[in-house]
């Protein structure tokens, strides 16, 4: 018999356990929510803390070390090497004919064309006639290949790649001697290798010699054959050496500049042709705008260009003042010595005055040494060649407009091959809104914003080539190797005859550095 209250006690006990369980469950639920909230807060905190650290490490002014910029960029264990990595037989004795080209444009456009001409001759198993250089309409200079480059060195350096002669041979027929005739062709722009192995080669075999004109950008840059690309590098960085008097003038200028320590070179693209091409007129007077618009109409395709739109997306060359503002924001002192490689600046001294007030030690090849030797011998294409060498040998190089500028693009590629020497490449698109705000009176945080943009740029180390970057601007990785690379395809080739070029190049560059330092 159940005692009075037993059932009630059992029910109460059951009820108490249920309530306890319910309370514990409620507490646990609230605890669980609290933990989730706490973890979320911690995640958010650490995310923003890490972001802040990351922001500071990439964008704070202390992270742009001017002292480090005076040194070469980090190579990542890579070194320049254009030695063939696979079977590369010498040129055949049985040539398919003669290739003659006429390289148009300025000095550096012609330089690119020469590289393409050598490669085209190799592709067609042809004998290359020493390239013709266009009588430049801007410089009014008819120096020709023999007046600018060391011909003997050019032919000797490429003896394992192509056969080169200085002129077409003479033919004796019916008792008379005459120069061999050629068949003239206008090659398509950026022609594929297949065009040379079909159309061009067929005409060469038919006529014995072909003449390709004009020959600027007449061979595709991106070729899926690394050995062909390495040949371009052998031409560009080994075979194309300026004549001794140009090299001596360049070394003399560099020695004078470096006698007071480090120096920077700047390719200041603020000339009439570039400003007209870019369509950047509004900062000039009505009369100056008239000159620029006429030049554009006479030399470029008709196109409606709105200055404010062009400026906003970074299509305008940096003004001299903007160049000075970037350098000052990066931490360069006003005592920095700067060599200017530039043609005649459009707009005159009023545009240079703000830059000169920030960096008074500005030089060019005429002001470094006012003696008649330098002034008289640095005109025309020779002057452009001297500028090229001084910029190549400078501690830092800065192009202000590296879009369609052959000078800047070729130099960036050569300095990469010359041991990853530091380059400062302003991101015009990133800087444009910052400069526009400053002009509108919003100057707060200007220098921090400039540093933030510049920290994201490449200062001269190896980096992937992405279109529209040219092979002549960045020949990595085809023309580089690693001494002890983890990837067998990246390792430097074993010693052989062609490897002498790489070693010779390093010795030559070391000798150049020693000479200018002395």
């Amino acid at each position: 018999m159940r005692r009075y209250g037993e059932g009630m006690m059992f029910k109460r006990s059951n009820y108490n356990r249920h309530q306890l369980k319910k309370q514990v469950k409620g507490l646990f639920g609230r605890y669980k929510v609290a933990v989730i909230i706490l973890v979320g807060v911690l995640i958010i905190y650490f995310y923003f803390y890490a972001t802040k650290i990351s922001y500071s490490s990439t964008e704070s002014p202390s992270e742009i070390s001017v002292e480090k910029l005076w040194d070469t960029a980090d190579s990542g264990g890579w070194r320049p090497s254009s030695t063939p990595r696979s079977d590369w037989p010498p040129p055949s004795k049985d040539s398919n004919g003669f290739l003659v080209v006429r390289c148009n444009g300025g000095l550096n456009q012609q330089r690119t064309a020469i590289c393409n001409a050598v490669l085209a001759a190799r592709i067609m198993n042809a004998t290359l006639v020493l390239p013709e250089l266009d009588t430049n309409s801007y410089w009014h200079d008819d120096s020709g290949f023999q007046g600018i480059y060391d011909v003997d060195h050019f032919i000797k350096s490429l003896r394992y790649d192509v056969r080169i002669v200085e002129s077409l041979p003479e033919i004796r027929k019916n008792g008379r001697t005459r120069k061999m005739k050629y068949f003239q062709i206008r090659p398509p722009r950026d022609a594929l290798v297949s065009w040379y192995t079909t159309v061009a080669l067929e005409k060469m075999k038919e006529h014995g010699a072909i003449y390709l004109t004009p020959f600027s950008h007449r061979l595709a840059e991106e070729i899926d054959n690394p050995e062909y690309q390495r040949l371009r590098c052998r031409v560009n960085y080994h075979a194309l050496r300026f004549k001794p008097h140009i090299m001596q003038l360049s070394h003399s200028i560099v020695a004078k500049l470096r006698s007071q320590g480090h120096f920077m070179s700047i390719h200041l693209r603020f000339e009439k042709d570039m400003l007209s091409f870019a369509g950047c007129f509004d900062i000039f007077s009505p009369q100056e705008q008239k000159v620029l618009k006429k030049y554009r109409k006479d030399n470029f395709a008709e196109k409606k260009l709105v200055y404010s739109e062009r400026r906003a997306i970074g299509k305008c060359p940096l003004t001299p003042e903007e160049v000075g503002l970037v350098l000052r924001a990066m931490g360069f002192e006003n005592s920095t010595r700067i060599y200017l490689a530039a043609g005649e600046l459009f707009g005159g001294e009023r545009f240079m005055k703000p830059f000169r007030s920030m960096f008074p030690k500005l030089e060019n090849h005429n002001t470094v040494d006012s003696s008649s030797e330098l002034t008289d011998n640095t005109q025309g294409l020779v002057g452009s060649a001297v500028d090229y060498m001084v910029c190549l040998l400078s501690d830092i190089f800065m192009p202000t407009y590296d879009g369609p500028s052959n000078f800047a693009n070729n130099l960036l590629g050569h300095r990469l091959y010359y041991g990853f020497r530091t380059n400062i490449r302003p991101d015009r698109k990133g800087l444009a809104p910052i400069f526009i705000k400053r002009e509108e009176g919003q100057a707060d945080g200007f220098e921090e914003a400039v540093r933030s943009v510049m920290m994201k740029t490449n200062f001269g180390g190896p980096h992937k080539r992405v279109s529209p970057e040219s092979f002549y601007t960045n020949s990595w990785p085809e023309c580089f190797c690693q001494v002890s690379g983890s990837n067998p395809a990246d390792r430097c080739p074993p010693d052989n005859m062609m490897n002498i070029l790489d070693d010779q190049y390093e010795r030559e560059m070391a000798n150049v550095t020693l000479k200018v330092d002395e």
Side-chain angles (χ1 to χ4, degrees):
M1 181 182 293
R2 189 171 58 180
R3 292 179 185 177
Y4 175 80
E6 278 185 352
M8 188 178 292
M9 287 177 64
F10 177 78
K11 287 181 181 180
R12 188 175 294 147
S13 176
N14 243 1
Y15 172 79
N16 290 340
R17 279 198 299 270
H18 176 71
Q19 285 295 97
L20 183 62
K21 187 176 179 182
K22 189 176 180 180
Q23 288 173 0
V24 169
K25 188 176 181 180
L27 284 171
F28 181 76
R30 286 193 292 272
Y31 175 75
K32 186 177 179 181
V33 171
V35 168
I36 291 171
I37 292 171
L38 180 61
V39 169
V41 169
L42 288 171
I43 289 171
I44 293 169
Y45 172 79
F46 282 115
Y47 170 78
F48 281 106
Y49 181 72
T51 304
K52 186 177 179 181
I53 292 174
S54 174
Y55 179 89
S56 299
S57 64
T58 58
E59 299 183 5
S60 73
S62 62
E63 289 301 316
I64 297 183
S65 171
V66 170
E67 288 304 313
K68 287 183 179 179
L69 290 179
W70 288 119
D71 296 328
T72 56
D74 184 6
S75 70
W78 293 85
R79 54 163 283 187
S81 173
S82 54
T83 297
R85 314 289 201 268
S86 58
D87 183 46
W88 187 260
S92 172
K93 293 180 180 179
D94 300 320
S95 171
N96 285 323
F98 293 88
L99 173 63
V100 187
V101 301
R102 177 174 167 268
C103 306
N104 55 304
L107 178 72
N108 289 280
Q109 188 169 312
Q110 292 171 356
R111 187 182 184 102
T112 301
I114 294 166
C115 298
N116 288 341
V118 172
L119 178 53
R122 173 75 189 199
I123 290 169
M124 293 189 290
N125 186 29
T127 300
L128 178 67
V129 178
L130 208 63
E132 296 178 9
L133 303 188
D134 187 20
T135 301
N136 193 278
S137 58
Y138 181 82
W139 295 114
H140 304 291
D141 191 316
D142 58 357
S143 301
F145 194 103
Q146 294 89 336
I148 298 294
Y149 296 107
D150 186 331
V151 175
D152 291 338
H153 177 77
F154 181 75
I155 295 174
K156 183 180 178 182
S157 295
L158 297 170
R159 64 191 182 279
Y160 300 112
D161 301 303
V162 290
R163 292 171 58 177
I164 303 173
V165 295
E166 293 196 38
S167 61
L168 281 172
E170 292 183 336
I171 297 175
R172 188 170 180 80
K173 189 176 182 180
N174 300 327
R176 298 178 63 183
T177 302
R178 61 179 177 81
K179 187 167 281 189
M180 184 180 187
K181 291 185 177 180
Y182 50 67
F183 181 79
Q184 184 170 325
I185 309 175
R186 183 184 179 91
R189 187 177 176 88
D190 298 322
L192 300 177
V193 170
S194 59
W195 183 86
Y196 286 91
T197 57
T198 54
V199 177
L201 185 57
E202 180 183 341
K203 293 298 182 183
M204 178 179 287
K205 288 181 176 179
E206 181 182 346
H207 298 276
I210 58 172
Y211 180 42
L212 303 184
T213 180
F215 197 74
S216 172
H217 307 293
R218 302 295 156 167
L219 178 58
E221 283 193 15
E222 293 300 333
I223 298 177
D224 191 21
N225 184 332
E227 295 300 359
Y228 283 170
Q229 301 293 58
R230 290 181 192 113
L231 174 55
R232 279 171 158 160
C233 290
R234 290 198 289 278
V235 180
N236 207 5
Y237 308 132
H238 296 268
L240 281 175
R241 178 195 287 172
F242 294 120
K243 290 184 74 69
H245 74 281
I246 295 176
M247 299 297 281
Q248 289 167 8
L249 283 170
S250 306
H251 292 159
S252 175
I253 291 174
V254 172
K256 287 179 171 64
L257 289 167
R258 195 162 284 158
S259 63
Q260 297 183 24
H262 295 298
F263 80 97
M264 172 193 301
S265 62
I266 295 178
H267 187 223
L268 193 57
R269 285 301 262 139
F270 206 70
E271 300 112 336
K272 179 169 64 177
D273 61 336
M274 187 52 63
L275 290 163
S276 299
F277 172 81
C280 300
F281 308 139
D282 289 29
I283 60 174
F284 297 99
S285 69
Q287 185 60 35
E288 289 168 338
Q289 288 188 40
K290 188 177 179 181
V291 171
L292 291 174
K293 288 175 181 177
K294 182 180 185 307
Y295 188 93
R296 177 170 179 84
K297 184 179 179 181
D298 294 344
N299 294 277
F300 303 110
E302 187 175 349
K303 186 178 180 181
K304 185 179 179 181
L305 300 176
V306 180
Y307 170 74
S308 58
E309 295 175 0
R310 303 283 289 172
R311 176 84 191 285
I313 58 175
K315 293 295 183 181
C316 289
L318 295 183
T319 67
E321 181 181 18
E322 288 171 345
V323 174
L325 290 170
V326 170
L327 293 177
R328 190 167 67 181
M330 291 181 69
F332 287 95
E333 298 179 353
N334 64 357
S335 59
T336 302
R337 199 157 199 189
I338 298 173
Y339 179 86
L340 289 180
E344 184 179 354
L345 265 65
F346 191 77
E349 183 60 25
R350 80 175 189 277
F351 283 99
M352 280 300 298
K353 191 174 180 180
F355 187 17
R356 204 180 299 279
S357 66
M358 286 183 273
F359 294 93
K361 292 189 175 181
L362 296 177
E363 306 275 9
N364 59 38
H365 59 235
N366 290 323
T367 62
V368 171
D369 189 330
S370 58
S371 67
S372 60
E373 179 191 2
L374 284 178
T375 305
D376 295 344
N377 290 286
T378 51
Q379 305 303 313
L381 289 176
V382 173
S384 183
V386 168
D387 278 347
Y388 185 94
M389 283 305 302
V390 174
C391 290
L392 174 63
L393 298 172
S394 63
D395 299 295
I396 297 173
F397 172 62
M398 179 181 182
T400 62
Y401 193 74
D402 56 346
S405 171
N406 293 295
F407 183 93
N409 287 326
N410 281 8
L411 264 167
L412 289 168
H414 203 156
R415 286 175 64 86
L416 190 75
Y417 195 85
Y418 181 27
F420 305 100
R421 300 181 78 81
T422 298
N423 301 310
I424 296 175
R425 302 175 67 176
D427 175 4
R428 297 190 309 279
K429 186 175 182 180
L431 291 170
I434 301 171
F435 284 126
I436 291 170
K437 283 183 179 180
R438 181 178 180 273
E439 290 163 11
E440 293 172 348
Q442 302 176 43
D444 290 345
F446 170 78
E447 293 198 343
E448 290 82 0
V450 170
R451 283 192 288 268
S452 173
V453 170
M454 293 306 299
M455 275 304 303
K456 297 170 186 174
T457 62
N458 179 282
F459 289 113
H463 60 282
K464 185 178 180 181
R465 183 171 67 251
V466 178
S467 181
E469 189 175 35
S470 163
F471 173 81
Y472 292 98
T473 303
N474 179 11
S475 61
W476 184 87
E478 293 95 332
C479 297
F480 295 83
C481 66
Q482 288 184 309
V483 177
S484 56
S486 56
N487 185 353
D490 295 333
R491 289 178 196 158
C492 293
D495 292 338
N496 54 41
M497 284 297 291
M498 288 302 300
N499 209 27
I500 293 171
L501 276 177
D502 296 332
D503 297 334
Q504 179 188 2
Y505 180 79
E506 288 194 350
R507 287 197 302 273
E508 286 178 358
M509 291 298 100
N511 288 337
V512 164
T513 304
L514 285 172
K515 284 179 183 177
V516 297
D517 284 346
E518 289 171 0

